Amino acid sequence: MSIEVKVPTLGESVSEATVGQWLKKPGEAVALDEPIVSLETDKVAVDVPAPASGVMGNYVAQEGDTVSVGALLAMIEDGVAAAGGAAPALRTEAPVAPASDTIAPKADAAAPKGDDAAVLSPAVRRAVLEHGIDPSTVKGTGKDGRLTKEDVLAAAQAKQAAPAAPAATAAAPIPAAAPTAPGRNEERVKMTRLRQTIAKRLKSAQETAALLTTFNDVDMTAVMEARAKYKDVFEKKHGVKLGLMSFFAKASVLALKDIPAVNAQIQGEEIVYFDYVDISVAVSAPNGLVVPVVRDVDKLSFADIEKAIANYGKAARDGTLTMADMAGGTFTISNGGVFGGLMSTPIINPPQSAVLGLHRIEDRPVVRNGEIVIRPMMYIALSYDHRLIDGREAVTALKTIKEAIEDPTRLLIDL
């Protein structure tokens, strides 16, 4: 008997996805609930689990195909894995030759076999296939010696650094639009669905909203001194590092409560005001920028905020963010400073009306009490939809954030 593998429900308002990568090849054994294919939606990558144990059959949808919810992806055939986890050959009436063309030779060589497949997480398996790494040749640093994604990436970097074989130079020439001189190659890669969606949303924000950005600078002395003083005891007590984001999240709450329009949205001909603060935190993931939401920030402690952000960051790197993690949000914080950015004009995350941009901290000369002193300074930016937020409100909100960061006591007494 054959079992159908179909596109699952992907979340509210999401009706289709793109087949990103097959994690199982035809003929391989699959276990119940084992991820067999990764789908790319407009927001996140979703691994589809096997609905039953058996042997992977032929693919119905190929990598890069657009599929709708409920569409047939593949079949799982009856069969029992042989000793050591190897899959028996498929029956002759189900030839697999056509499907084998959909798997790159690199992925074939790197596909985990036997017991290795059972212990690899979906993120690790995806990294193994993507980089062409044989997991049996990599020493795992995870629990019980298991491979982590970082182990695979380190092995891939070492592999790239090794001298290439002469034959490898001639193989698989990079496609180019026109003949190029030696050493001037071009590579064409199809945009992922996530990247296409990011492009559409950002362009739509520019075309729809009346975008404007206001700037200020912040003296980070007080926050940096507080972190230096309490970071060890904070981490010992809460099991997470005390970062900057919790300070700026709490400062943003003060601003959004004082200036409700910055925490509001335009929906049709109505303005919706929220009495809660759900902050979207921009996180860089392998496939592009994602914005998971930390909910009810106005009710969370510093430790709760840091834990939520840390968990989302790990999930983004591992490719395990869900649609629910991304849904909603009333305000966004984007920290370009981690990449060294000095100043930027961030774009709002529709349908939100404002986004706070953070930047790098650097020592600069400033005047204090009539004297020139050196202080750790950061430029901050608030981009906002001028259709809803007036300039006075935007400047006041950003000034509130600045004052709270420069005097963190304000965060404790709600001032």
Side-chain angles (χ1 to χ4, degrees):
M1 183 179 69
S2 299
I3 304 296
E4 295 181 338
V5 180
K6 295 185 176 182
V7 178
T9 301
L10 300 171
E12 185 179 357
S13 76
V14 180
S15 59
E16 62 181 21
T18 299
V19 179
Q21 185 178 49
W22 283 100
L23 307 178
K24 281 290 187 177
K25 295 183 296 183
E28 285 191 327
V30 295
L32 176 65
D33 291 332
E34 181 181 10
I36 57 177
V37 62
S38 176
L39 302 179
E40 295 178 355
T41 71
D42 291 347
K43 296 183 178 180
V44 294
V46 178
D47 285 343
V48 179
S53 299
V55 177
M56 191 69 202
N58 287 336
Y59 305 147
V60 175
Q62 309 301 325
E63 293 181 1
D65 287 355
T66 298
V67 290
S68 301
V69 172
L72 182 64
L73 293 170
M75 305 295 292
I76 293 180
E77 310 289 346
D78 283 337
V80 179
L90 290 179
R91 296 189 296 268
T92 55
E93 62 267 28
V96 301
S100 65
D101 293 338
T102 66
I103 303 297
K106 178 179 178 181
D108 286 341
K113 302 179 179 64
D115 294 336
D116 293 336
V119 299
L120 298 185
S121 69
V124 174
R125 177 186 295 277
R126 191 178 299 115
V128 164
L129 294 173
E130 179 180 350
H131 296 285
I133 300 298
D134 182 355
S136 64
T137 64
V138 182
K139 183 179 180 180
T141 61
K143 184 178 180 181
D144 299 327
R146 293 188 177 185
L147 281 183
T148 66
K149 186 177 180 181
E150 288 71 22
D151 296 332
V152 177
L153 295 178
Q157 291 177 353
K159 182 179 178 181
Q160 291 176 353
T169 305
I174 299 175
T180 57
R184 290 171 55 84
N185 293 327
E186 298 177 359
E187 181 181 6
R188 294 177 181 268
V189 179
K190 183 179 180 180
M191 291 176 67
T192 64
R193 176 175 289 270
L194 176 61
R195 174 53 61 185
Q196 293 179 45
T197 300
I198 291 173
K200 292 177 181 178
R201 286 174 60 84
L202 294 182
K203 188 59 180 175
S204 174
Q206 287 184 318
E207 294 175 345
T208 303
L211 290 179
L212 192 62
T213 303
T214 183
F215 298 92
N216 214 319
D217 59 357
V218 178
D219 187 340
M220 299 295 295
T221 301
V223 167
M224 293 182 70
E225 289 178 349
R227 290 181 65 203
K229 183 176 181 179
Y230 297 112
K231 64 179 182 179
D232 293 336
V233 65
F234 184 91
E235 184 173 4
K236 182 177 180 180
K237 179 176 180 179
H238 300 292
V240 67
K241 293 182 179 180
L242 178 59
L244 293 177
M245 289 296 288
S246 53
F247 285 93
F248 278 100
K250 281 295 189 180
S252 297
V253 169
L254 290 182
L256 300 181
K257 292 293 186 180
D258 287 347
I259 314 294
V262 183
N263 196 47
Q265 297 177 5
I266 294 177
Q267 296 184 8
E269 297 182 354
E270 297 179 331
I271 299 175
V272 180
Y273 294 93
F274 303 97
D275 65 353
Y276 54 87
V277 177
D278 288 352
I279 295 183
S280 303
V281 180
V283 177
S284 180
N287 292 330
L289 190 72
V290 292
V291 278
V293 181
V294 182
R295 306 185 191 282
D296 295 317
V297 178
D298 49 324
K299 300 176 183 177
L300 299 182
S301 67
F302 277 71
D304 292 333
I305 295 171
E306 293 292 355
K307 289 177 182 178
I309 294 173
N311 290 337
Y312 280 143
K314 183 178 185 302
R317 293 190 298 272
D318 293 343
T320 57
L321 283 174
T322 67
M323 298 294 293
D325 295 333
M326 315 281 287
T330 62
F331 184 73
T332 293
I333 299 179
S334 177
N335 186 6
V338 297
F339 305 109
L342 176 64
M343 186 179 291
S344 67
T345 55
I347 300 178
I348 64 173
N349 178 26
Q352 297 174 20
S353 299
V355 53
L356 175 66
L358 310 182
H359 304 91
R360 77 170 184 250
I361 302 171
E362 62 178 8
D363 289 340
R364 290 200 295 269
V366 295
V367 178
R368 295 289 184 268
N369 299 321
E371 295 182 353
I372 297 177
V373 295
I374 303 299
R375 291 287 187 267
M377 303 297 293
M378 175 197 286
Y379 289 118
I380 57 176
L382 184 74
S383 291
Y384 59 98
D385 188 346
H386 212 342
R387 297 177 302 166
L388 173 60
I389 304 170
D390 294 333
R392 177 187 61 83
E393 294 173 317
V395 171
T396 302
L398 195 61
K399 184 171 178 286
T400 300
I401 294 172
K402 167 187 168 68
E403 292 174 344
I405 294 297
E406 293 183 339
D407 183 8
T409 304
R410 291 172 174 266
L411 301 176
L412 300 177
I413 60 178
D414 191 18
L415 184 60

mmCIF file of all heavy atoms in Angstrom, residues 331-356:
data_model
loop_
_atom_site.group_PDB
_atom_site.id
_atom_site.type_symbol
_atom_site.label_atom_id
_atom_site.label_comp_id
_atom_site.label_asym_id
_atom_site.label_seq_id
_atom_site.Cartn_x
_atom_site.Cartn_y
_atom_site.Cartn_z
ATOM 1 N N PHE A 331 5.257 46.680 16.709
ATOM 2 C CA PHE A 331 6.412 47.571 16.600
ATOM 3 C C PHE A 331 7.626 46.695 16.328
ATOM 4 O O PHE A 331 7.642 45.511 16.689
ATOM 5 C CB PHE A 331 6.590 48.343 17.916
ATOM 6 C CG PHE A 331 7.696 49.372 17.915
ATOM 7 C CD1 PHE A 331 7.560 50.560 17.213
ATOM 8 C CD2 PHE A 331 8.867 49.156 18.625
ATOM 9 C CE1 PHE A 331 8.579 51.518 17.222
ATOM 10 C CE2 PHE A 331 9.889 50.101 18.646
ATOM 11 C CZ PHE A 331 9.736 51.291 17.943
ATOM 12 N N THR A 332 8.641 47.241 15.659
ATOM 13 C CA THR A 332 9.826 46.450 15.301
ATOM 14 C C THR A 332 11.100 47.150 15.783
ATOM 15 O O THR A 332 11.196 48.370 15.736
ATOM 16 C CB THR A 332 9.909 46.241 13.778
ATOM 17 O OG1 THR A 332 8.820 45.407 13.368
ATOM 18 C CG2 THR A 332 11.214 45.554 13.387
ATOM 19 N N ILE A 333 12.057 46.323 16.236
ATOM 20 C CA ILE A 333 13.403 46.813 16.548
ATOM 21 C C ILE A 333 14.384 46.059 15.660
ATOM 22 O O ILE A 333 14.383 44.829 15.630
ATOM 23 C CB ILE A 333 13.779 46.603 18.025
ATOM 24 C CG1 ILE A 333 12.814 47.362 18.940
ATOM 25 C CG2 ILE A 333 15.216 47.065 18.281
ATOM 26 C CD1 ILE A 333 13.096 47.182 20.422
ATOM 27 N N SER A 334 15.205 46.799 14.933
ATOM 28 C CA SER A 334 16.210 46.198 14.048
ATOM 29 C C SER A 334 17.589 46.700 14.463
ATOM 30 O O SER A 334 17.828 47.901 14.515
ATOM 31 C CB SER A 334 15.927 46.597 12.592
ATOM 32 O OG SER A 334 16.922 46.080 11.730
ATOM 33 N N ASN A 335 18.477 45.773 14.777
ATOM 34 C CA ASN A 335 19.806 46.133 15.279
ATOM 35 C C ASN A 335 20.861 45.928 14.197
ATOM 36 O O ASN A 335 21.462 44.859 14.077
ATOM 37 C CB ASN A 335 20.150 45.312 16.518
ATOM 38 C CG ASN A 335 21.451 45.746 17.171
ATOM 39 O OD1 ASN A 335 22.060 46.737 16.758
ATOM 40 N ND2 ASN A 335 21.885 45.023 18.178
ATOM 41 N N GLY A 336 21.097 46.961 13.399
ATOM 42 C CA GLY A 336 22.145 46.891 12.390
ATOM 43 C C GLY A 336 23.527 47.078 12.968
ATOM 44 O O GLY A 336 24.528 46.866 12.284
ATOM 45 N N GLY A 337 23.581 47.447 14.238
ATOM 46 C CA GLY A 337 24.871 47.650 14.870
ATOM 47 C C GLY A 337 25.696 46.388 14.999
ATOM 48 O O GLY A 337 26.928 46.448 15.039
ATOM 49 N N VAL A 338 25.029 45.236 15.060
ATOM 50 C CA VAL A 338 25.774 43.982 15.186
ATOM 51 C C VAL A 338 26.612 43.712 13.944
ATOM 52 O O VAL A 338 27.565 42.931 13.984
ATOM 53 C CB VAL A 338 24.813 42.795 15.448
ATOM 54 C CG1 VAL A 338 24.097 42.975 16.773
ATOM 55 C CG2 VAL A 338 23.802 42.647 14.316
ATOM 56 N N PHE A 339 26.269 44.359 12.818
ATOM 57 C CA PHE A 339 27.041 44.204 11.590
ATOM 58 C C PHE A 339 27.970 45.389 11.347
ATOM 59 O O PHE A 339 28.623 45.465 10.308
ATOM 60 C CB PHE A 339 26.103 44.032 10.392
ATOM 61 C CG PHE A 339 25.122 42.904 10.553
ATOM 62 C CD1 PHE A 339 23.774 43.165 10.745
ATOM 63 C CD2 PHE A 339 25.547 41.582 10.538
ATOM 64 C CE1 PHE A 339 22.864 42.135 10.905
ATOM 65 C CE2 PHE A 339 24.643 40.549 10.703
ATOM 66 C CZ PHE A 339 23.303 40.815 10.892
ATOM 67 N N GLY A 340 28.003 46.330 12.303
ATOM 68 C CA GLY A 340 28.907 47.465 12.179
ATOM 69 C C GLY A 340 28.291 48.698 11.561
ATOM 70 O O GLY A 340 29.007 49.664 11.277
ATOM 71 N N GLY A 341 26.974 48.706 11.351
ATOM 72 C CA GLY A 341 26.329 49.856 10.724
ATOM 73 C C GLY A 341 26.359 51.091 11.617
ATOM 74 O O GLY A 341 26.015 51.023 12.796
ATOM 75 N N LEU A 342 26.753 52.225 11.048
ATOM 76 C CA LEU A 342 26.821 53.479 11.809
ATOM 77 C C LEU A 342 25.483 54.198 11.825
ATOM 78 O O LEU A 342 25.076 54.759 12.841
ATOM 79 C CB LEU A 342 27.886 54.402 11.209
ATOM 80 C CG LEU A 342 28.012 55.793 11.833
ATOM 81 C CD1 LEU A 342 28.461 55.676 13.288
ATOM 82 C CD2 LEU A 342 28.982 56.662 11.034
ATOM 83 N N MET A 343 24.764 54.170 10.708
ATOM 84 C CA MET A 343 23.483 54.872 10.619
ATOM 85 C C MET A 343 22.691 54.295 9.446
ATOM 86 O O MET A 343 23.279 53.873 8.446
ATOM 87 C CB MET A 343 23.698 56.377 10.422
ATOM 88 C CG MET A 343 22.426 57.200 10.466
ATOM 89 S SD MET A 343 22.740 58.968 10.264
ATOM 90 C CE MET A 343 23.588 59.327 11.802
ATOM 91 N N SER A 344 21.375 54.250 9.587
ATOM 92 C CA SER A 344 20.532 53.730 8.508
ATOM 93 C C SER A 344 19.142 54.320 8.634
ATOM 94 O O SER A 344 18.800 54.943 9.647
ATOM 95 C CB SER A 344 20.455 52.196 8.582
ATOM 96 O OG SER A 344 19.746 51.793 9.755
ATOM 97 N N THR A 345 18.336 54.115 7.594
ATOM 98 C CA THR A 345 16.919 54.487 7.628
ATOM 99 C C THR A 345 16.108 53.203 7.458
ATOM 100 O O THR A 345 15.804 52.797 6.341
ATOM 101 C CB THR A 345 16.578 55.485 6.500
ATOM 102 O OG1 THR A 345 16.969 54.926 5.241
ATOM 103 C CG2 THR A 345 17.305 56.790 6.704
ATOM 104 N N PRO A 346 15.788 52.522 8.542
ATOM 105 C CA PRO A 346 15.060 51.253 8.437
ATOM 106 C C PRO A 346 13.688 51.435 7.814
ATOM 107 O O PRO A 346 13.091 52.519 7.892
ATOM 108 C CB PRO A 346 14.960 50.785 9.898
ATOM 109 C CG PRO A 346 15.092 52.032 10.706
ATOM 110 C CD PRO A 346 16.016 52.921 9.938
ATOM 111 N N ILE A 347 13.197 50.387 7.170
ATOM 112 C CA ILE A 347 11.876 50.409 6.537
ATOM 113 C C ILE A 347 10.885 49.701 7.447
ATOM 114 O O ILE A 347 11.187 48.637 8.004
ATOM 115 C CB ILE A 347 11.915 49.729 5.159
ATOM 116 C CG1 ILE A 347 12.902 50.448 4.230
ATOM 117 C CG2 ILE A 347 10.536 49.711 4.519
ATOM 118 C CD1 ILE A 347 13.039 49.812 2.865
ATOM 119 N N ILE A 348 9.699 50.266 7.615
ATOM 120 C CA ILE A 348 8.693 49.683 8.503
ATOM 121 C C ILE A 348 8.278 48.306 8.020
ATOM 122 O O ILE A 348 8.410 47.963 6.851
ATOM 123 C CB ILE A 348 7.463 50.599 8.647
ATOM 124 C CG1 ILE A 348 6.750 50.754 7.299
ATOM 125 C CG2 ILE A 348 7.844 51.942 9.220
ATOM 126 C CD1 ILE A 348 5.429 51.507 7.409
ATOM 127 N N ASN A 349 7.780 47.517 8.936
ATOM 128 C CA ASN A 349 7.324 46.155 8.673
ATOM 129 C C ASN A 349 5.796 46.171 8.610
ATOM 130 O O ASN A 349 5.130 46.099 9.637
ATOM 131 C CB ASN A 349 7.817 45.235 9.799
ATOM 132 C CG ASN A 349 7.355 43.807 9.637
ATOM 133 O OD1 ASN A 349 7.090 43.349 8.532
ATOM 134 N ND2 ASN A 349 7.253 43.098 10.746
ATOM 135 N N PRO A 350 5.201 46.323 7.398
ATOM 136 C CA PRO A 350 3.740 46.447 7.285
ATOM 137 C C PRO A 350 3.024 45.275 7.948
ATOM 138 O O PRO A 350 3.527 44.147 7.909
ATOM 139 C CB PRO A 350 3.496 46.433 5.769
ATOM 140 C CG PRO A 350 4.806 46.827 5.173
ATOM 141 C CD PRO A 350 5.850 46.278 6.079
ATOM 142 N N PRO A 351 1.869 45.513 8.594
ATOM 143 C CA PRO A 351 1.121 46.789 8.638
ATOM 144 C C PRO A 351 1.521 47.696 9.796
ATOM 145 O O PRO A 351 0.779 48.616 10.134
ATOM 146 C CB PRO A 351 -0.319 46.299 8.816
ATOM 147 C CG PRO A 351 -0.173 45.071 9.654
ATOM 148 C CD PRO A 351 1.092 44.405 9.172
ATOM 149 N N GLN A 352 2.669 47.422 10.426
ATOM 150 C CA GLN A 352 3.121 48.280 11.516
ATOM 151 C C GLN A 352 3.402 49.688 11.004
ATOM 152 O O GLN A 352 3.583 49.905 9.815
ATOM 153 C CB GLN A 352 4.368 47.683 12.162
ATOM 154 C CG GLN A 352 4.143 46.328 12.820
ATOM 155 C CD GLN A 352 5.426 45.699 13.325
ATOM 156 O OE1 GLN A 352 6.431 46.368 13.531
ATOM 157 N NE2 GLN A 352 5.407 44.384 13.513
ATOM 158 N N SER A 353 3.485 50.630 11.934
ATOM 159 C CA SER A 353 3.637 52.026 11.554
ATOM 160 C C SER A 353 4.989 52.612 11.917
ATOM 161 O O SER A 353 5.276 53.759 11.559
ATOM 162 C CB SER A 353 2.531 52.870 12.208
ATOM 163 O OG SER A 353 1.257 52.431 11.777
ATOM 164 N N ALA A 354 5.835 51.842 12.640
ATOM 165 C CA ALA A 354 7.127 52.398 13.038
ATOM 166 C C ALA A 354 8.127 51.276 13.297
ATOM 167 O O ALA A 354 7.757 50.145 13.626
ATOM 168 C CB ALA A 354 6.979 53.266 14.284
ATOM 169 N N VAL A 355 9.406 51.621 13.129
ATOM 170 C CA VAL A 355 10.494 50.674 13.398
ATOM 171 C C VAL A 355 11.653 51.458 13.992
ATOM 172 O O VAL A 355 11.973 52.562 13.547
ATOM 173 C CB VAL A 355 10.931 49.935 12.113
ATOM 174 C CG1 VAL A 355 11.262 50.903 10.991
ATOM 175 C CG2 VAL A 355 12.148 49.037 12.389
ATOM 176 N N LEU A 356 12.279 50.888 15.021
ATOM 177 C CA LEU A 356 13.435 51.501 15.669
ATOM 178 C C LEU A 356 14.703 50.842 15.146
ATOM 179 O O LEU A 356 14.833 49.616 15.180
ATOM 180 C CB LEU A 356 13.354 51.320 17.184
ATOM 181 C CG LEU A 356 14.566 51.802 18.001
ATOM 182 C CD1 LEU A 356 14.698 53.321 17.910
ATOM 183 C CD2 LEU A 356 14.453 51.350 19.457
#
